[in-house]
Amino acid sequence: MATVLAPRRCPAIKTPVGNGANFMAIFTSTGFRNLTTDEYSAAVETLKPDIAIGPADLFHTSTMPVPKKLVRMAERTEEWTDAFLTPKRREALKEAGVSVFAPVLAVPYPIQWEHLRHLADEVIDSISGLAIYDVDLLPDIEDNYEPLISLPRLSLHIPATPQAILRQIALGVDVCTIPFVNAISDAGVALSFTFPPPSQNTALLPLGEDMWSSENEASLKPFVEGCKCYACTTHHRAFLHHLLNAKEMLGWTLLQIHNHQVMTNFFAGIRATLAEGGAKFEEQAKRFAAVYEAELPQGTGTRPRARGYHFKPDPNPSRINPPAWENFATDGEGVASEVVGTAEAAEGTETPLVPDVGSLKLEEKGFAEVAHDKKKHEL
């Protein structure tokens, strides 16, 4: 297993403000802050990851910036690459066994061709691979920059489904990032796909099974038939269904163990198919798209309590779970009014006493005195 270090997480948290000339805006455990190239370089030298992603001027919003901004992003990334790969630091990283992957931005090729030329002509001896933020740029790189073709490609272009992973591999990606494994485990879904895919049935097969389903309440089957992971060989669906309903973290942990095993088997199947040739892989990828549904299941239950990687900086983000409490009043006058109305309508029951004064008056005289005065007034 390899460790990868980058200035921003994947997928990146959108920051309130953009990057500056000498810093990147990032999200940390204590909030947003600015990270300089020297600070990031010092962290790389201290932590010594297997792969270090070079600093890049990435988007800080969800919309595509104007062309002038895109040009500046490419220029700034080139400047930061040179500042990161100083001769002294190159030697230090080489001695520490750190492989540097140069970033390729998710901007149109005509805008960053100079940055790519700089990588191919001047930085090629100092980098070990490319960190691709948009896999659709790979054909342009292969057509125009021969020195970069042989470098390993790490995709930071987030795939949403296993079909998207297969497409990235078909384009030439060597290493994929798959954050949807966390999301699908949190949703209570056990992945069930394989590669190569099974023989096609009349109906499309789901990519996963919803463990929240009531069908699993008393099922002694493994999460997925035939799976050899620890979770499937040790526990059954009914136990997992109980854990999820009880909000026990062990339930999501078991799902994560299972889903990681499914992804491990998925990539093992991809490697075995690629060993038989590109044509065989392309054939099996087409079969996979024909056999399985196009989208991952969403899950029907609640998610675990929010943790650090759930952070969303968007304004007024939607809750991942429905609120635990809600106002049951329908007339806009609060719950107490409904209680009173219900009690008055029930014959032979005592009407609850609801004070008609404010909290300051209650604090001054006491609830009992206020109630006594109210009854005396009614008499």
Side-chain angles (χ1 to χ4, degrees):
M1 180 178 294
T3 56
V4 181
L5 180 64
R8 300 177 71 185
R9 68 174 68 180
C10 184
I13 297 295
K14 299 179 181 65
T15 56
V17 295
N19 301 322
N22 301 310
F23 65 84
M24 294 165 283
I26 64 171
F27 175 72
T28 70
S29 59
T30 57
F32 294 100
R33 60 157 293 187
N34 297 330
L35 178 71
T36 66
T37 303
D38 289 338
E39 289 175 326
Y40 177 62
S41 302
V44 171
E45 294 178 7
T46 301
L47 298 174
K48 296 181 175 60
D50 297 305
I51 298 175
I53 309 299
D57 190 6
L58 304 177
F59 302 161
H60 74 282
T61 63
S62 58
T63 57
M64 178 70 73
V66 297
K68 184 177 180 180
K69 170 63 177 175
L70 295 177
V71 172
R72 183 57 188 147
M73 289 170 58
E75 294 174 348
R76 187 175 287 166
T77 300
E78 181 177 332
E79 295 170 1
W80 289 351
T81 299
D82 290 338
F84 179 64
L85 292 174
T86 61
K88 181 179 180 180
R89 189 170 292 124
R90 294 179 188 180
E91 293 299 323
L93 295 177
K94 184 177 180 180
E95 292 178 2
V98 177
S99 299
V100 177
F101 278 45
V104 177
L105 302 177
V107 302
Y109 166 72
I111 292 179
Q112 64 172 328
W113 70 269
E114 290 190 10
H115 167 58
L116 295 172
R117 181 200 57 77
H118 178 69
L119 295 179
D121 295 345
E122 302 178 31
V123 191
I124 185 65
D125 294 333
S126 303
I127 59 177
S128 303
L130 299 176
I132 311 294
Y133 287 92
D134 184 357
V135 296
D136 292 324
L137 292 170
L138 286 173
D140 291 315
I141 294 175
E142 293 180 351
D143 291 341
N144 298 284
Y145 303 98
E146 184 177 353
L148 301 179
I149 295 178
S150 61
L151 293 178
R153 295 110 178 239
L154 167 63
S155 172
L156 297 175
H157 187 159
I158 309 302
T161 62
Q163 289 89 333
I165 294 176
L166 294 175
R167 177 179 179 272
Q168 291 191 6
I169 294 173
L171 288 172
V173 168
D174 299 297
V175 184
C176 298
T177 50
I178 45 175
F180 71 71
V181 174
N182 285 339
I184 206 69
S185 298
D186 287 348
V189 174
L191 297 176
S192 58
F193 55 84
T194 60
F195 191 89
S199 301
Q200 186 171 2
N201 298 323
T202 55
L204 293 176
L205 298 177
L207 293 170
E209 300 288 342
D210 182 12
M211 294 293 107
W212 285 96
S213 173
S214 58
E215 298 177 356
N216 299 317
E217 188 172 353
S219 175
L220 300 182
K221 296 180 180 179
F223 302 174
V224 173
E225 293 287 352
C227 180
K228 303 299 182 183
C229 74
Y230 164 80
C232 287
T233 55
T234 310
H235 304 289
H236 47 66
R237 293 188 177 196
F239 179 60
L240 178 59
H241 181 80
H242 160 71
L243 292 175
L244 293 175
N245 279 277
K247 307 296 187 294
E248 287 286 351
M249 187 55 67
L250 176 59
W252 289 288
T253 301
L254 292 175
L255 274 171
Q256 190 79 319
I257 292 173
H258 165 77
N259 288 337
H260 272 277
Q261 184 63 53
V262 170
M263 295 308 304
T264 298
N265 297 340
F266 178 70
F267 281 105
I270 290 174
R271 289 190 294 270
T273 305
L274 286 172
E276 300 180 27
K280 183 67 173 179
F281 171 78
E282 185 177 348
E283 174 191 346
Q284 295 294 355
K286 290 180 179 179
R287 286 192 58 242
F288 189 95
V291 169
Y292 287 104
E293 295 177 350
E295 300 293 335
L296 289 166
Q298 296 300 310
T300 56
T302 58
R303 273 58 172 169
R305 293 184 62 184
R307 300 188 288 278
Y309 62 83
H310 289 128
F311 181 85
K312 294 181 177 62
D314 301 324
N316 302 318
S318 59
R319 292 177 177 269
I320 61 174
N321 292 323
W325 304 95
E326 59 182 288
N327 187 358
F328 290 99
T330 58
D331 56 3
E333 297 183 3
V335 177
S337 62
E338 283 203 354
V339 173
V340 173
T342 303
E344 290 176 345
E347 184 178 355
T349 60
E350 183 179 355
T351 301
L353 183 61
V354 180
D356 53 3
V357 298
S359 59
L360 295 178
K361 190 70 173 179
L362 282 174
E363 184 178 359
E364 178 184 349
K365 298 191 65 176
F367 186 86
E369 292 295 330
V370 171
H372 176 73
D373 292 345
K374 183 177 181 180
K375 285 189 175 182
K376 184 177 180 181
H377 176 72
E378 291 176 351
L379 293 175

